[in-house]
Amino acid sequence: MRLLIILGTRPEMIKLAPIIRECKKHTGIEAVVCSTGQHDTLLDGLAVFFEISIDIALHARLPGQSLTSLTIRCLEQIHPVIEQQQPDFVMVQGDTATAMSGALAAFQQNIPVVHVEAGLRTYDIQSPFPEEMYRRLITLATQAHMAPTRTAVRNLVHEGVDRKRIFCTGNTSIDALQWAIDRQPPPTSDEPLVLVTGHRRENIGNGLYSLCKAIRELAARHKVKFIWPLHPNPHVASSVQDFLGGSSVQLIPPAEYKTFVGLLQRAVLVITDSGGVQEEAVALGKPVLITRVTTERAEAIEHGAALLVGTDEDNIIQQAEAILSGSLTCENGRAIYGNGNAAGRIVHHLSQLEADFLP
Ligand code: UDP
């Protein structure tokens, strides 16, 4: 089976790396990895860390480009790759412009699509923006839906997707996390910290401003160190720097994945709007405040492992202080997103798909 794996951003690389590695163990699967370069500067280091390689490197990204330009360039550049590679399947992950374009380009050339992390929904098309739209479009183009949780399976069934085409696999983020934990150097510090990240487009502006004010206030009131690795999106990074530069919050450039996992391990509280960070924090038993108004990862909230706090300054402060003072605990969701064997399951299902789709 010839499998073309299309990725472009940091989270796609992190979550597809375990599958790429797993494919190498199967002589029956020839996996070709194509990057659109959506997060161009971050991917090479991740490839080295996960001991995988990018076979085809595209250059879809331009500085300051619009979502439309990114999508057009992804589509234009992915199309000839599919034409040349003639894959039996195209695999995409998640809900990025790269994933949506990869799925659409494959659909247009009649190549079956395998979607990893399928079925996540908020059912609010504006939030997260544009990801909720992208993931729904990808579902329409997909023949094999690798759903990370039972909730994701239910969402797809509810939308009329054939149950036989949905596979409940766990999330490969936990496989990647395990890889990173196994490779952690001895800690240079075990000082506890509060880890903050923020990058959602729908939060840019008022939401991000209010989050920054809350973090500034919390960092001023509490002795514990606050660390915020900035997102590669320059828009977000510069806003956060404007709001928090000169405060006691430690702003650092995007952390290498291994380093980031080390920070997560030391965290007493994680405040984030990131999907992947929520999964990792929950898997490590860290309390999480999700700074969004909707979430497609409701399982963590249902299990009491995370709280949805929105971006209201007072609410963030109140909930963070409750956790820091020990009056509120939310630490019991460790296995919600899988137990580190999702990639193995996905590759197993792939070999079964061969019988259904290939002559
Ligand atoms: N991450 C990282 N360095 C950082 C912040 C995050 O390596 O400084 C990793 C994190 O461990 C997770 C992924 O990036 O696996 C999450 O990416 P992001 O928040 O950009 O996207 P999302 O998960 O929301 O799609």
Side-chain angles (χ1 to χ4, degrees):
M1 174 199 299
R2 210 168 153 70
L3 177 69
L4 177 63
I5 301 178
I6 300 178
L7 51 81
T9 64
R10 175 174 70 186
E12 286 165 279
M13 182 72 147
I14 291 170
K15 290 178 173 181
L16 285 168
I19 301 177
I20 297 167
R21 295 187 52 76
E22 193 67 28
C23 285
K24 282 197 207 156
K25 295 187 203 158
H26 285 253
T27 45
I29 301 180
E30 190 193 341
V32 175
V33 179
C34 169
S35 161
T36 61
Q38 190 177 333
H39 280 174
D40 51 356
T41 51
L42 297 175
L43 299 190
D44 290 343
L46 282 169
V48 171
F49 177 62
F50 285 108
E51 299 169 17
I52 56 176
S53 50
I54 295 170
D55 303 302
I56 303 168
L58 306 177
H59 301 282
R61 179 191 157 106
L62 291 176
Q65 79 194 132
S66 64
L67 284 175
T68 306
S69 154
L70 175 62
T71 306
I72 290 170
R73 287 176 62 85
C74 282
L75 276 170
E76 270 176 354
Q77 295 185 25
I78 292 169
H79 177 89
V81 173
I82 296 179
E83 215 163 40
Q84 281 156 13
Q85 294 294 322
Q86 291 293 311
D88 298 309
F89 295 94
V90 164
M91 176 179 279
V92 296
Q93 195 282 335
D95 49 23
T96 64
T98 291
M100 190 270 289
S101 309
L104 181 56
F107 174 77
Q108 286 165 335
Q109 291 182 65
N110 221 1
I111 307 291
V113 175
V114 178
H115 184 203
V116 176
E117 201 180 63
L120 271 61
R121 295 289 187 272
T122 60
Y123 291 109
D124 174 353
I125 204 74
Q126 295 292 337
S127 174
F129 178 92
E131 291 88 351
E132 178 76 3
M133 171 64 101
Y134 288 173
R135 48 170 89 117
R136 292 204 217 173
L137 293 173
I138 296 168
T139 296
L140 290 174
T142 293
Q143 276 71 37
H145 308 257
M146 304 298 173
T149 63
R150 280 202 281 272
T151 308
V153 173
R154 275 197 297 275
N155 290 341
L156 293 167
V157 171
H158 171 75
E159 290 171 25
V161 176
D162 181 353
R163 182 66 184 86
K164 292 198 291 298
R165 296 267 171 259
I166 308 171
F167 306 93
C168 194
T169 60
N171 200 311
T172 52
S173 59
I174 309 305
D175 304 33
L177 180 65
Q178 202 55 60
W179 174 272
I181 289 173
D182 292 347
R183 281 155 189 79
Q184 282 301 309
T188 47
S189 160
D190 54 5
E191 189 191 348
L193 55 93
V194 175
L195 187 59
V196 187
T197 77
H199 73 283
R200 296 253 84 95
R201 265 172 202 268
E202 67 275 12
N203 281 349
I204 295 177
N206 290 343
L208 193 59
Y209 181 53
S210 146
L211 168 64
C212 287
K213 282 204 294 186
I215 300 300
R216 179 189 278 270
E217 183 61 27
L218 283 164
R221 285 190 204 172
H222 295 268
K223 277 211 189 103
V224 62
K225 186 184 271 187
F226 280 66
I227 298 189
W228 187 328
L230 296 169
H231 193 263
N233 179 338
H235 256 354
V236 182
S238 64
S239 304
V240 175
Q241 264 157 342
D242 288 349
F243 294 144
L244 290 180
S247 74
S248 56
V249 181
Q250 198 179 328
L251 303 177
I252 60 171
E256 276 183 25
Y257 177 58
K258 186 170 68 170
T259 309
F260 189 79
V261 170
L263 293 174
L264 267 174
Q265 288 179 301
R266 282 169 50 198
V268 289
L269 169 63
V270 177
I271 303 178
T272 189
D273 60 15
S274 155
V277 176
Q278 278 174 60
E279 292 155 2
E280 293 157 353
V282 166
L284 292 171
K286 307 296 181 178
V288 188
L289 297 184
I290 306 171
T291 51
R292 295 175 47 185
V293 286
T294 55
T295 178
E296 59 287 295
R297 290 171 175 82
E299 300 90 348
I301 294 164
E302 285 154 16
H303 282 76
L307 289 176
L308 195 63
V309 293
T311 52
D312 177 74
E313 182 186 346
D314 294 336
N315 196 31
I316 295 170
I317 293 176
Q318 196 185 338
Q319 304 294 357
E321 295 206 312
I323 290 172
L324 290 174
S325 68
S327 66
L328 179 67
T329 51
C330 45
E331 298 184 28
N332 50 7
R334 284 178 192 253
I336 299 174
Y337 295 112
N339 45 21
N341 59 6
R345 287 189 180 163
I346 288 169
V347 172
H348 169 75
H349 293 310
L350 270 183
S351 4
Q352 290 184 327
L353 282 177
E354 213 171 352
D356 291 354
F357 283 93
L358 303 187

